Amino acid sequence: MSVSAFHLPQEVWVQVFLYLSDHEKGNIRASCKYFKRLIDHPSLWRNSVVVLKKIRACNAEFWTTMRRRKTSSVVVHKAGLRDWEKLAASLPWLTAIIIEQCSDLTALETLQRFSNLKRLAIRSFQCPSDLGSVLAPLRQLTHLALCELHSAPRAQLIGAVSQLTSLTSLFYHEGDKPISRQVFQGMLASLPNLKHLSLKMGPVYGTLPDDYFCLPSLNPKIAGREGQGKDHVGLTRLELLNYMDPMLSAVALEPLGCLQSLTVGYRDQAVEPSRCALSTWLSKLPSLTELTVIRGYPLHVYMCSLPRTLRSLSLLQVIMGPGDMRTLGERTLDLQHLHMDVCGYGSQSSLQELPMLLPELRTLKLRHCNMTEQEFVGLARLQHLERLVVLDAHPGPSPALIELIQKLQFKTNYRVQVIHSLVPRDPTACYCSQY
């Protein structure tokens, strides 16, 4: 590197480093003392998550670096009481903590020392019998995820969650059956600020009550708001994972008129179209802009119910047949984000028509193995396309794919960012949400 480069203002270098991955920033940091200091600027690590597997092995220099970067999010593995005390003393301002495999109740009580904690995820361990007593005092939490806690005491956990009235996001992925209607409605009524709810449904015999998502009696402060009826539920995002019909009826989502995002993750493929509640749900959600469907029914079963308000659509392991692409374009002409990882396109559903059918696409994710060269390079006709993710190029693209990407980028004057490897798994994300 030229010596003159070091005369650039520090603010310029910080802006350049914003474009680097955490791994690349680490390499730059090791190159010289000047960059080591610049790389630790807090703005470069604002969205980074530190994974702590052996807290006791972390030395003083490590904690100094974490403090300099103002680290705010960590993942903690198998930590004991001494580990938690060290973490609380070193990084007391943490706002997000993800806990894995830690069933020591005394150690978990240390969470109360993090007064700025807003996001908490607890996953994958033998649940202590009194976990609710740890959660209940954390009234400042806005995001909570409970995932795969073995032997979890449901009544106690629900009671504790119901006291967290500041929650805006709740991932409840517990148990092998849905929460009963009475308990579920009581929990919803206690969380007036809840906007994002993710449920792992589990196997069930029969159908849950039609009014499962209704609130018979609301908190008076909510009920008094203009335009909100007694059955109103203010959710804007709903995820139903491990779902199969007829678990919920066709009218079950009617109280969720404010819903903007819906994810339905079916446990298996479904073959009885007459049972498909999704087709009716979609026709009753006037504000829906984002839809994700995993497995379940072939696309044509609910295709004609896709709302024209959709701007983002993800179809994962969904069967897509001949002619479905054209119908999809007719139903979602203004679609901006499409993630297609389907089971088969069918001989007549050529992707060559995609630029004409969905001209507003900004981001597109798909597998190139289903495409001819003409179809792949033809994506250059998507005038607004900004990002293309090739799903089947991991761990690296083949020479043939590299050539196709070069042709596409040349045609778009390198306007399109092409990603051809899997994005690293988000360490903060729930395992159940990794489709």
Side-chain angles (χ1 to χ4, degrees):
M1 179 182 297
S2 171
V3 175
S4 61
F6 291 99
H7 296 296
L8 289 174
Q10 294 183 7
E11 294 80 5
V12 173
W13 281 117
V14 171
Q15 289 299 313
V16 171
F17 294 153
L18 282 171
Y19 291 93
L20 302 180
S21 66
D22 286 357
H23 178 71
E24 291 168 335
K25 283 184 283 191
N27 290 337
I28 293 292
R29 188 178 187 273
S31 65
C32 69
K33 291 182 179 180
Y34 179 71
F35 281 161
K36 179 179 180 179
R37 181 173 58 83
L38 286 186
I39 282 289
D40 285 339
H41 193 284
S43 65
L44 296 174
W45 303 94
R46 188 171 294 132
N47 298 318
S48 297
V49 180
V50 177
V51 179
L52 301 173
K53 292 188 176 182
K54 294 182 179 179
I55 293 179
R56 296 183 190 183
C58 299
N59 58 26
E61 182 181 357
F62 172 84
W63 295 114
T64 299
T65 300
M66 293 300 99
R67 286 191 287 269
R68 187 181 300 125
R69 296 176 181 178
K70 297 183 179 179
T71 299
S72 61
S73 301
V74 298
V75 178
V76 181
H77 289 261
K78 298 181 180 180
L81 178 58
R82 287 176 56 192
D83 299 312
W84 279 102
E85 289 177 341
K86 181 63 177 178
L87 183 62
S90 302
L91 304 175
W93 56 77
L94 287 175
T95 60
I97 299 177
I98 298 88
I99 305 171
E100 291 190 349
Q101 301 179 29
C102 177
S103 55
D104 185 338
L105 190 65
T106 304
L108 293 176
E109 289 175 348
T110 313
L111 288 171
Q112 297 179 36
R113 294 173 58 179
F114 298 93
S115 58
N116 295 322
L117 187 63
K118 298 295 183 182
R119 296 171 176 263
L120 175 65
I122 304 177
R123 63 195 187 197
S124 302
F125 59 73
Q126 190 73 25
C127 184
S129 59
D130 202 22
L131 180 60
S133 65
V134 172
L135 294 176
L138 304 177
R139 303 295 179 86
Q140 78 277 16
L141 288 181
T142 58
H143 296 71
L144 175 65
L146 301 173
C147 178
E148 301 295 338
L149 304 183
H150 307 296
S151 304
R154 170 167 287 192
Q156 187 193 76
L157 282 182
I158 294 293
V161 170
S162 298
Q163 298 180 53
L164 305 178
T165 55
S166 297
L167 283 184
T168 60
S169 176
L170 173 62
F171 284 55
Y172 192 88
H173 299 163
E174 274 312 307
D176 57 357
K177 59 182 179 180
I179 305 170
S180 68
R181 175 183 61 176
Q182 182 178 0
V183 174
F184 180 68
Q185 292 179 349
M187 182 181 70
L188 286 185
S190 301
L191 302 175
N193 299 303
L194 193 65
K195 297 299 180 184
H196 183 185
L197 177 63
S198 180
L199 297 172
K200 187 176 181 181
M201 303 301 288
V204 68
Y205 298 99
T207 304
L208 292 168
D210 288 350
D211 61 348
Y212 190 70
F213 284 98
C214 291
L215 296 184
S217 59
L218 283 173
N219 183 306
K221 293 182 180 179
I222 304 175
R225 293 177 187 169
E226 183 178 355
Q228 294 190 358
K230 71 173 185 176
D231 289 337
H232 176 83
V233 179
L235 295 177
T236 57
R237 298 178 63 88
L238 176 65
E239 295 179 6
L240 302 173
L241 306 181
N242 201 34
Y243 175 83
M244 289 300 289
D245 287 320
M247 194 175 298
L248 291 171
S249 72
V251 299
L253 300 195
E254 284 189 4
L256 306 181
C258 297
L259 213 60
Q260 299 172 14
S261 174
L262 174 64
T263 294
V264 184
Y266 291 92
R267 188 165 60 250
D268 299 302
Q269 300 292 348
V271 295
E272 298 184 44
S274 61
R275 285 191 169 190
C276 182
L278 178 61
S279 58
T280 305
W281 294 347
L282 293 175
S283 64
K284 303 292 185 179
L285 299 174
S287 302
L288 198 69
T289 59
E290 181 179 351
L291 174 65
T292 297
V293 182
I294 305 129
R295 294 179 291 275
Y297 302 90
L299 179 59
H300 71 84
V301 173
Y302 50 90
M303 173 86 78
C304 293
S305 297
L306 293 177
R308 299 188 183 279
T309 53
L310 277 187
R311 296 297 178 268
S312 177
L313 176 63
S314 296
L315 301 171
L316 312 179
Q317 301 178 46
V318 172
I319 296 175
M320 192 171 181
D324 283 351
M325 182 65 71
R326 178 171 292 276
T327 307
L328 179 64
E330 294 171 353
R331 292 293 308 178
T332 60
L333 187 63
D334 295 324
L335 201 66
Q336 296 179 3
H337 311 283
L338 177 62
H339 181 176
M340 267 196 323
D341 194 3
V342 297
C343 293
Y345 296 109
S347 57
Q348 298 178 22
S349 37
S350 172
L351 292 170
Q352 190 171 350
E353 298 178 290
L354 193 61
M356 177 186 66
L357 298 174
L358 299 171
E360 299 299 321
L361 281 183
R362 266 64 173 173
T363 61
L364 176 61
K365 300 179 183 180
L366 79 176
R367 294 182 180 275
H368 93 287
C369 65
N370 297 301
M371 308 176 68
T372 65
E373 177 178 344
Q374 185 178 10
E375 289 170 339
F376 190 92
V377 178
L379 295 176
R381 291 185 288 130
L382 287 165
Q383 297 298 316
H384 303 288
L385 189 64
E386 299 169 357
R387 175 178 292 189
L388 173 65
V389 180
V390 182
L391 300 173
D392 53 355
H394 183 74
S398 65
L401 177 56
I402 292 177
E403 183 178 354
L404 287 178
I405 291 173
Q406 290 174 341
K407 290 180 179 180
L408 173 65
Q409 290 180 321
F410 179 77
K411 280 184 169 291
T412 61
N413 196 25
Y414 296 88
R415 162 177 51 87
V416 179
Q417 177 190 19
V418 180
I419 299 174
H420 46 71
S421 62
L422 294 179
V423 177
R425 182 187 178 277
D426 180 359
T428 68
C430 171
Y431 292 126
C432 302
S433 301
Q434 300 298 302
Y435 313 119

